[in-house]
Structures are given as C-alpha cells and as structure tokens.
C-alpha cells in the first residue's frame, strides 16, 4: 500500500471527486493544481495574472510554473507521509520532474488512471456545478443538489466554472489528447506503478471501491461515505 497517490485522467474523469473521498480515508492532503492556480488568480497574485489567460482559454499552464508550485507544496509538512495529487502531472516533462523529485526522497507513488469514454466526459463537464464556498461538486444530471442551484451543505448558489463552457471544454480535451495522454506511455515505459480503473459508468462510490482495492486499502471504502 502507498499513501502517495497520483490521480490521472482527462478533464471530467472524476479526479476531484475521488480525491476528496481518498483524502478523508488516507488523511493525506488533496493537492489539486487546478485549485491552486484558481486560488492564485482569485488572490490576484503575480503568478495568478500570468496564468489566467491560458487557463480561461483551456490551455495548459507552462511546466516550469506548475512544477515550481507543486514542489513547494509537496515540501510542506502535511504532505510528508502522503498526498493525493489531482491534475498533476499533465505533461511528460512534468511527469519526469515529479519522478525525479520522488526518487530523490525514496518515495514510491501509485498512479491511478481513471479511464472514461469521450461522451461521458462531455456530459459530465457540461453538467458540472460547484459550491464556491465549500468546494462541493455536483452534476445537474448525475448528482443534483437537493434544492436546484443551491449547495446542500451551506445553501450557497452553485457556480459553473469559467472553463466549463463548451468551446473551452473542447480545447481542454484537445490539450489532454495532445499533451497529457502521452504521460501514460511515459509511466508505462518507466516501469512505475500504474493502475487503470474504469470510471465511465459507475457511480463515484463504486469507482472509489475499485480504487481502494487497487491501492490495497480495505477498511476505508465504507468510512468515506
Ligand atoms: P483542473 O481543475 O485540473 O481541470 O485544471 C484547470 C486548468 O488549470 C487546466 O485547464 C489548466 O489550464 C490548468 N492546470 C491545472 N493543472 C495543470 C498542470 N498540471 N499543468 C498545466 N496546467 C494545469
């Protein structure tokens, strides 16, 4: 079993949802590069200004920027005994950077590939809604809130992410095909631990069970619900 998890998959494959379940179960921080970048934009930092245009257009942020940000975050004390990386690495140079960083510290990660077919991805991304206050994710088709448009936990009005508009979704999927999918081949040839989980049609709890089996965690699937 490893507490160092890399969740890999296309936009809309459910990485964020699974990361939140895993976080409760492994008690390791959920490190989402997308969330970190959005935070920096919201805070108006210099890095935020630099990345905003690329993000809003659905393009990837430059490797050096993301690598530096991730290395800083992984070096923090709460990530010492484990982490759940969500949305990183997304390019082969990022994967190389991460592998070197982990190897230097003797850490063995497990990469979990959430495999989802193209049509499910489009449907998920178009229906996605998020609570801007607590971050809870919904989907108007597969996981609607109890009261339309409002978060179940705090009643906040749910929001559509800036980059979940149709033309931006198309660009994000293009970026995935061109730049991110090849990372799988990198992990295969590098002989790293890579597990594929079919996440196309099962509900999130079922996908989570499969992940727990894959990483050899057995007491946790029920706790996390
Ligand atoms: P996400 O929330 O993971 O879907 O990421 C949203 C956006 O943030 C992406 O479309 C990219 O513009 C940017 N981003 C997130 N993670 C990365 C990464 N590892 N490399 C480059 N850009 C990223």
């Amino acid at each position: 079993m490893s507490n160092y998890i890399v969740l890999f998959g296309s936009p809309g494959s459910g990485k964020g949802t699974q990361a939140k379940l895993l976080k409760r179960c492994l008690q390791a921080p959920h490190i989402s590069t997308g969330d970190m970048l959005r935070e920096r934009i919201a805070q108006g930092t210099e890095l935020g200004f630099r990345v905003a245009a690329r993000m809003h257009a659905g393009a990837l942020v430059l490797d050096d920027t993301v690598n530096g940000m991730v290395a800083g975050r992984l070096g923090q004390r709460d990530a010492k005994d484990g982490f759940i990386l969500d949305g990183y690495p997304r390019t082969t140079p990022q994967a190389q950077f991460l592998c070197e960083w982990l190897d230097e510290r003797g850490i063995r990660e497990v990469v979990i590939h959430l495999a989802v077919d193209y049509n499910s991805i489009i449907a998920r991304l178009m229906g996605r809604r998020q609570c801007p206050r607590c971050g809870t994710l919904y989907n108007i088709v597969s996981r609607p809130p109890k009261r339309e448009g409002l978060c179940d936990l705090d009643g906040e009005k749910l929001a559509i992410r800036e980059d979940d508009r149709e033309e931006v979704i198309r660009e994000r999927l293009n970026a995935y095909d061109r730049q991110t999918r090849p990372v799988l081949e990198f992990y295969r040839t590098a002989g790293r631990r890579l597990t594929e989980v079919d996440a196309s049609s099962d509900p999130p709890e079922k996908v989570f069970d499969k992940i727990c089996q894959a990483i050899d965690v057995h007491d946790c699937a029920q706790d996390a619900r």
Side-chain angles (χ1 to χ4, degrees):
M1 179 191 151
S2 172
N3 268 1
Y4 301 92
I5 310 289
V6 176
L7 280 177
F8 186 91
S10 70
S13 59
K15 299 186 298 290
T17 302
Q18 295 303 325
K20 288 182 174 68
L21 293 171
L22 275 167
K23 173 188 163 142
R24 282 159 66 181
C25 151
L26 299 179
Q27 303 198 341
H30 168 198
I31 300 176
S32 152
T33 43
D35 286 348
M36 291 172 79
L37 291 166
R38 279 185 288 276
E39 255 166 47
R40 280 152 176 78
I41 293 176
Q43 291 161 350
T45 65
E46 189 265 324
L47 191 151
F49 278 117
R50 262 194 287 132
V51 301
R54 294 186 78 87
M55 275 183 81
H56 291 157
L60 292 187
V61 170
L62 300 180
D63 289 334
D64 285 350
T65 306
V66 187
N67 287 341
M69 190 178 76
V70 170
R73 181 64 188 91
L74 293 183
Q76 286 175 20
R77 207 216 279 286
D78 66 333
K80 200 168 84 46
D81 299 322
F83 53 70
I84 300 138
L85 269 174
D86 158 10
Y88 178 92
R90 252 177 159 107
T91 66
T92 303
Q94 289 179 20
Q96 281 163 336
F97 178 86
L98 178 64
C99 286
E100 278 168 28
W101 195 95
L102 296 173
D103 289 347
E104 278 166 16
R105 290 157 184 82
I107 294 172
R108 286 202 64 205
E109 82 287 22
V110 184
V111 182
I112 297 170
H113 173 208
L114 297 175
V116 181
D117 67 65
Y118 194 81
N119 289 338
S120 314
I121 291 169
I122 300 277
R124 284 183 193 186
L125 292 174
M126 302 272 294
R128 185 153 75 173
R129 302 288 182 274
Q130 187 165 29
C131 173
R133 192 186 300 171
C134 69
T136 303
L137 290 164
Y138 298 88
N139 188 289
I140 52 173
V141 181
S142 57
R143 189 175 183 270
K146 293 195 183 88
R147 286 177 298 159
E148 196 182 322
L150 300 177
C151 179
D152 291 349
L153 303 184
D154 55 27
E156 186 80 16
K157 193 164 178 289
L158 300 179
I160 302 180
R161 259 172 52 173
E162 181 88 28
D163 57 355
D164 277 345
R165 285 173 292 121
E166 194 172 345
E167 65 280 12
V168 184
I169 289 175
R170 231 186 295 277
E171 187 44 44
R172 287 165 66 204
L173 292 174
N174 276 341
Y176 178 78
D177 278 334
R178 274 183 282 114
Q179 294 168 276
T180 308
R181 201 187 290 283
V183 173
L184 284 174
E185 204 41 46
F186 166 82
Y187 275 116
R188 284 195 195 102
T189 45
R192 315 289 290 205
R193 205 169 144 201
L194 170 67
T195 303
E196 179 145 320
V197 170
D198 178 2
S200 274
S201 46
D202 286 331
E205 296 76 15
K206 191 90 188 288
V207 174
F208 183 61
D209 286 346
K210 292 194 227 172
I211 292 177
C212 288
Q213 278 172 23
I215 59 174
D216 217 11
V217 168
H218 297 292
D219 311 329
C220 181
Q222 273 161 359
D223 298 349
R225 283 184 205 137

